[in-house]
Amino acid sequence: MTPTSPTTIETDVREALTRVLDPEIRRPITELDMVRSVSAAGDGATGAHVTVGIDLTVAGCPMKSTLVKDVTAAASAVAGVASVDVELGVMTPDQRAALRTRLRGGTGEPVIPFAQPGSLTKVYAVASGKGGVGKSSVTANLAVAMAADGLNVGVVDADIYGFSIPRMLGVDRQPTRVDNMLLPPVAHGVKVVSIGMFVPEGQPVVWRGPMLHRALEQFLSDVYWGDLDVLLLDLPPGTGDIAISVAQLLPRSEVLVVTTPQAAAAEVAERAGSVATQTSQSVVGVVENMSWLTQPDGSRLHLFGEGGGAQVSARLGEVLGTEVPLLGQVPLDVAVREGGDSGTPVALSDPGSPGAAVLREVARGLASRKRGLAGMQLGVTPA
């Protein structure tokens, strides 16, 4: 057999590296110009030693061990390679500026990609009238269920005062900062950002309306989200500043209302959904949480009453003049609570549980909905 030349091995290694994705940006490291060099010593007969130079986006990249492992595995799989070393460096300011421009589609300035006319991302704002109805649990489970089905999903924890998404998705670190761009942590295949990633444990957030609006704007524009299929926003309960800001910053977003069966929660949830009449948003549907507790004999104990979800659905339909479906009724399920506390939502940790089954069904229904043409560029020129 003719020995493989070092030049050929270097070419083959570079080709193999096109299949290595940056763990945070989720794009090939070759496309991001992170591969500084590839050199091979020896040949395929005796086994070549390959050295790969990688430039990290920042010196303290939290995912560098993952990157080294993936690069080593890809290079080691190339025929004729006996051993691999990965030498890490750091991008220069010019390289980082070029990277930001590339990721932002040719402009270095931050924009909200989901508000652009050509955006194909479905944006769902998960709202409730009252706190404690399980809105964040629903958001986290819908996100991981969609990601498990192969979709690119992002979550913005817009509940600035009562953030809980980091715990529910098991995120324990901040986004990586590349100058004025943030690379969000990825948990269970979902990109996540929350004010909880920046606030010391136990410290409250005490902000007025303008600061809330600016924080949301930065989450949407300064964070590199990539090409998302779905973006979910976990809104604070009620009809305050954040709900208004979402409508302004994401005019094509749709509202998903979460309620419990009891009349008191349903009445408040109706008001949360009715905000859409003033913000020109549509309401995609209603999810009823904590609907019943299944007894050992199979019967259902309705701890919080019955019919709240159907009531919200019907009344919002009347107010908005369009059908607002009841998308699902999630039973009281210990596995749902356990998944939220452990950082692995039940849709992944126990997909066969009653609560997970309903949530996965709702997720698939939302993911399969067709986007309307409102605000889209059709590429048609008047004759």
Side-chain angles (χ1 to χ4, degrees), residues 267-344:
E267 290 171 358
V268 183
E270 290 170 33
R271 294 198 288 272
S274 296
V275 169
T277 61
Q278 301 177 46
T279 59
S280 300
Q281 293 169 285
S282 61
V283 178
V284 68
V286 177
V287 172
E288 183 186 272
N289 195 26
M290 310 180 202
S291 297
W292 57 76
L293 179 64
T294 302
Q295 301 297 286
D297 63 359
S299 62
R300 294 174 174 179
L301 176 61
H302 296 273
L303 292 173
F304 299 108
E306 296 182 65
Q311 172 186 320
V312 175
S313 172
R315 292 190 180 176
L316 285 178
E318 294 174 4
V319 171
L320 300 173
T322 185
E323 181 184 5
V324 177
L326 176 59
L327 300 176
Q329 294 174 285
V330 185
L332 276 164
D333 187 346
V334 173
V336 174
R337 192 273 303 163
E338 292 175 338
D341 285 347
S342 69
T344 304

Side-chain angles (χ1 to χ4, degrees), residues 70-379:
D70 292 347
V71 168
T72 301
S76 298
V78 172
V81 174
S83 58
V84 177
D85 276 340
V86 179
E87 296 181 347
L88 298 179
V90 182
M91 286 185 172
T92 66
D94 287 344
Q95 285 178 299
R96 286 197 296 271
L99 175 64
R100 293 197 311 273
T101 299
R102 184 180 299 112
L103 295 180
R104 286 172 172 160
T107 174
E109 296 304 314
V111 297
I112 299 177
F114 317 110
Q116 304 308 304
S119 174
L120 297 176
T121 304
K122 298 182 180 74
V123 181
Y124 297 120
V126 185
S128 70
K130 300 173 70 68
V133 300
K135 168 182 51 62
S136 297
S137 293
V138 169
T139 303
N141 276 282
L142 293 180
V144 299
M146 291 176 183
D149 284 342
L151 299 181
N152 294 320
V153 184
V155 173
V156 173
D157 187 355
D159 194 349
I160 303 296
Y161 298 138
F163 52 84
S164 55
I165 288 295
R167 167 176 285 280
M168 290 188 172
L169 289 177
V171 178
D172 57 3
R173 68 177 182 85
Q174 293 185 353
T176 301
R177 182 179 293 277
V178 181
D179 298 332
N180 66 345
M181 174 183 282
L182 299 176
L183 305 180
V186 179
H188 310 300
V190 178
K191 293 182 177 181
V192 191
V193 71
S194 168
I195 196 65
M197 299 171 180
F198 304 94
V199 178
E201 186 175 355
Q203 180 176 314
V205 178
V206 186
W207 288 351
R208 291 186 181 274
M211 295 181 70
L212 299 175
H213 180 91
R214 179 56 182 152
L216 180 61
E217 186 176 31
Q218 287 185 293
F219 285 166
L220 295 171
S221 61
D222 290 355
V223 173
Y224 172 70
W225 292 103
D227 296 324
L228 296 185
D229 296 302
V230 180
L231 177 70
L232 296 167
L233 295 99
D234 183 26
L235 303 189
T239 57
D241 293 306
I242 287 291
I244 297 170
S245 293
V246 168
Q248 292 174 339
L249 297 170
L250 298 167
R252 293 195 300 278
S253 59
E254 299 177 278
V255 178
L256 174 65
V257 179
V258 178
T259 186
T260 53
Q262 65 196 92
E267 290 171 358
V268 183
E270 290 170 33
R271 294 198 288 272
S274 296
V275 169
T277 61
Q278 301 177 46
T279 59
S280 300
Q281 293 169 285
S282 61
V283 178
V284 68
V286 177
V287 172
E288 183 186 272
N289 195 26
M290 310 180 202
S291 297
W292 57 76
L293 179 64
T294 302
Q295 301 297 286
D297 63 359
S299 62
R300 294 174 174 179
L301 176 61
H302 296 273
L303 292 173
F304 299 108
E306 296 182 65
Q311 172 186 320
V312 175
S313 172
R315 292 190 180 176
L316 285 178
E318 294 174 4
V319 171
L320 300 173
T322 185
E323 181 184 5
V324 177
L326 176 59
L327 300 176
Q329 294 174 285
V330 185
L332 276 164
D333 187 346
V334 173
V336 174
R337 192 273 303 163
E338 292 175 338
D341 285 347
S342 69
T344 304
V346 69
L348 286 183
S349 64
D350 190 4
S353 72
V358 176
L359 290 162
R360 290 181 71 90
E361 182 181 353
V362 172
R364 286 173 178 149
L366 292 173
S368 64
R369 291 180 66 252
K370 300 296 183 182
R371 259 214 52 181
L373 297 178
M376 296 290 291
Q377 292 179 339
L378 301 181

Side-chain angles (χ1 to χ4, degrees), residues 12 14-21 28 30 74 78:
D12 291 346
R14 285 188 179 274
E15 173 60 28
L17 294 178
T18 63
R19 295 183 287 277
V20 176
L21 303 183
T30 50
V78 172

